[in-house]
Amino acid sequence: MAKIAVAGFQHETNTFSPIPTRLEDFERGGSWPALTRGETLRREFRGLNLPLSGFLGECRHETVPILWTSAEPGGYVEDNAFDRISGEIVEGIEAGGVDAVYLDLHGAMATRLHDDGEAELLRRIRARMGAELPIAVSLDLHGNLSREFFELASVVTIYRTYPHVDMAETGARAARLLDIALAGPVFGSFRQVDFLIPITAQSTFHRPAREIYALLPGLDAVSADLCLGFPPADVPCCGPTIFAYAKSRTGAERAAEEIQRAVLAAEADFNSRLIPSAQAVREALAATKPPIVIADPQDNPGAGATGDTTGLLRELLQAEVPDAVFSMIHDPAAAKAAHEAGTGSRLTLDIGGHYTEFSEPVRAGVEVVALADGPFKFTGPMYGGATANLGRIAQLKLTGTGISVVVGSGRTQNADQEMFRVAGIEPAEHRIVCVKSSVHFLADYDRIAGDVLFAEAPGANVCRLDRINYTRLRPGVRLLA
């Protein structure tokens, strides 16, 4: 039986986001647990849909939990935060006297000094522990990985679903793959694909990603996986990457080549699915099978956006929609004012629009319909079982309209219907349901939606990639729109 150090350090970095990612963002939690250390990991992560949970549940070796932490996607991770957390992980590995390491990472972390934060973490572990220590890593489907990362890791597994309903299973696959690597030589192959895919085109609910990922389990390899990349990141390693492992170098290369062929053949089929927000509202009003779910993907906090833009909200007001609900707009000041006024109060508020490069606030009379404060449980397929803590939350009914908005103190995407229910709204009972999310919302909302529309409104998660002013991509990388 081997002794395995276990740690997690996750961040998806949008280099165009105006929101810096600081140490306190990793410490406090939000949709996922706050920074957790040591043996507490076993209790807090049991049964969650997270890779570390899956690894701990599957691993048959002695494990040494060090820490797990994640921050809401945003701008560059500050280097002092990266150094503090990385240092604690490296010291924990060294002190543990371990035979191997498992790391629950994202794959798209960047700091001002390190374009590939995951590669830098592995470099620091190798510098302290040597080149022979087996290191297994699980990654998010949206990773941007360099060849250096591939060469520093021993084996890698990657989510195969988007929405990510298989996060725990990916951690379990990492445990099984690490066992294979501990038992004998495993050879790897790594490929980079030279085009960037919009986030809204990456869902495995739709083609072509659905068909590509269906190929992976049947390949003649011990493991074969694909990252589709995280496009709002101006780094040289941005874009899709392929990882394949087999008992022979030829087998690994053959599996990687088959995946690469499938991705290249599908280039023309990756479509952002975006339509102008005014058109989305018109189509939702004309639909005969409500509720119609409208996503606001370019302001998705889960991709580092601010979560407070008002472009889609203004279109709802302009169209005078008779019944619409919107969750969640990040606005701590509005939530605080609503709590101070109390349920049933009427007041005038500026809602959202704090980052004026994307939108202006909506000034409106509102009625405070419902209030919530503190932790609540998610119930959907992706977050189900996790406890969210988004602070003060309020349901605001805009005076003279059929529109209700949920504002909250914590910035996170709406991938779970509980982000309406916590504020007293049952989304299935409304004609139009608006969410700030790119794709993850599909896992829960697709079960109630008569149709789903992706609205194009300004935000920091630009999905038409040919409109992004990249300056640091690899030469020859193509931008899909």
Side-chain angles (χ1 to χ4, degrees):
M1 179 180 287
K3 190 176 183 182
I4 301 174
V6 174
F9 185 14
Q10 290 212 2
H11 190 258
E12 187 175 60
T13 305
N14 179 334
T15 65
F16 302 99
S17 173
I19 304 171
T21 305
R22 302 186 169 99
L23 181 62
E24 54 263 34
D25 297 314
F26 288 99
E27 292 174 331
R28 68 167 169 253
S31 297
W32 295 121
L35 193 155
T36 309
R37 294 182 171 92
E39 290 298 319
T40 306
L41 284 166
R42 300 188 197 280
R43 180 181 71 254
E44 295 295 325
F45 284 71
R46 186 176 294 115
L48 296 183
N49 181 31
L50 285 171
L52 183 137
S53 305
F55 184 91
L56 289 174
E58 183 73 14
C59 183
R60 299 297 175 257
H61 302 281
E62 178 186 355
T63 54
V64 181
I66 299 171
L67 65 80
W68 187 94
T69 186
S70 172
E72 188 71 18
Y76 284 105
V77 174
E78 293 190 346
D79 283 284
N80 70 316
F82 180 83
D83 291 342
R84 285 274 298 276
I85 297 168
S86 297
E88 190 171 340
I89 291 172
V90 173
E91 290 166 9
I93 292 170
E94 185 175 42
V98 299
D99 305 301
V101 174
Y102 163 68
L103 298 173
D104 175 3
L105 307 180
H106 184 281
M109 182 187 297
T111 78
R112 293 288 183 182
L113 295 178
H114 308 294
D115 291 329
D116 184 346
E118 286 78 7
E120 176 60 18
L121 173 59
L122 292 185
R123 188 195 66 75
R124 294 181 186 192
I125 294 171
R126 292 291 184 202
R128 189 77 64 90
M129 304 301 297
E132 302 304 317
L133 181 71
I135 301 177
V137 183
S138 61
L139 295 172
D140 192 288
L141 179 146
H142 304 303
N144 294 324
L145 285 312
S146 63
R147 178 165 289 278
E148 180 188 14
F149 168 84
F150 165 74
E151 292 171 351
L152 289 166
S154 304
V155 288
V156 174
T157 60
I158 300 165
Y159 308 163
R160 292 174 173 176
T161 62
Y162 182 32
H164 304 327
V165 295
D166 69 330
M167 291 187 284
E169 171 55 24
T170 302
R173 286 198 292 117
R176 296 192 290 269
L177 184 56
L178 180 56
D179 274 345
I180 295 171
L182 289 170
V186 172
F187 297 89
S189 177
F190 173 79
R191 308 284 178 95
Q192 289 178 311
V193 177
D194 286 332
F195 58 77
L196 305 190
I197 304 169
I199 283 284
T200 46
Q202 295 183 10
S203 174
T204 56
F205 275 37
H206 306 126
R207 63 180 306 273
R210 177 180 57 209
E211 287 74 17
I212 294 170
Y213 278 89
L215 297 173
L216 302 183
L219 294 175
D220 186 17
V222 294
S223 179
D225 278 313
L226 167 67
C227 277
L228 289 179
F230 184 60
D234 195 7
V235 295
C237 56
C238 186
T241 49
I242 296 161
F243 294 76
Y245 299 92
K247 287 294 189 177
S248 69
R249 197 170 304 281
T250 300
E253 292 292 345
R254 188 183 304 119
E257 173 65 24
E258 192 166 342
I259 300 169
Q260 185 175 31
R261 236 185 352 255
V263 176
L264 291 174
E267 179 175 354
D269 297 326
F270 284 107
N271 186 296
S272 69
R273 306 176 70 86
L274 290 182
I275 59 176
S277 55
Q279 179 183 339
V281 172
R282 287 196 303 271
E283 290 188 14
L285 286 171
T288 58
K289 298 174 80 173
I292 305 303
V293 177
I294 304 179
D296 191 5
Q298 297 196 144
D299 191 39
N300 172 23
T306 58
D308 75 331
T309 65
T310 58
L312 180 55
L313 177 58
R314 289 183 184 279
E315 295 297 346
L316 296 173
L317 291 166
Q318 179 70 25
E320 298 181 346
V321 300
D323 178 19
V325 292
F326 202 142
S327 177
M328 177 177 289
I329 293 179
H330 181 226
D331 195 331
K336 180 175 183 287
H339 274 256
E340 290 175 348
T343 304
S345 299
R346 296 181 182 273
L347 59 161
T348 299
L349 292 175
D350 288 330
I351 300 172
H354 302 295
Y355 294 86
T356 54
E357 62 265 46
F358 306 118
S359 68
E360 297 288 336
V362 166
R363 189 164 184 81
V366 302
E367 177 188 352
V368 180
V369 178
L371 300 170
D373 193 1
F376 65 96
K377 285 281 190 182
F378 286 131
T379 59
M382 181 175 155
Y383 284 126
T387 299
N389 195 342
L390 303 177
R392 290 169 168 165
I393 293 168
Q395 181 197 153
L396 307 177
K397 176 73 179 297
L398 276 60
T399 304
T401 78
I403 301 168
S404 291
V405 173
V406 180
V407 295
S409 303
R411 184 179 62 91
T412 196
Q413 72 172 305
N414 186 341
D416 196 294
Q417 292 183 57
E418 295 301 326
M419 288 184 67
F420 280 105
R421 293 174 182 142
V422 69
I425 296 171
E426 182 54 57
E429 296 174 355
H430 294 273
R431 183 179 183 84
I432 298 176
V433 177
C434 298
V435 296
K436 285 193 178 289
S437 179
S438 297
V439 168
H440 282 319
F441 73 95
L442 288 172
D444 202 13
Y445 289 89
D446 207 45
R447 303 187 292 187
I448 65 167
D451 197 3
V452 172
L453 304 170
F454 295 80
E456 183 179 7
N461 177 40
V462 177
C463 296
R464 295 192 188 275
L465 306 185
D466 55 353
R467 299 179 183 177
I468 298 179
N469 184 29
Y470 292 104
T471 62
R472 304 186 60 235
L473 299 181
R474 302 185 308 279
V477 172
R478 302 182 295 282
L479 306 178
L480 306 189

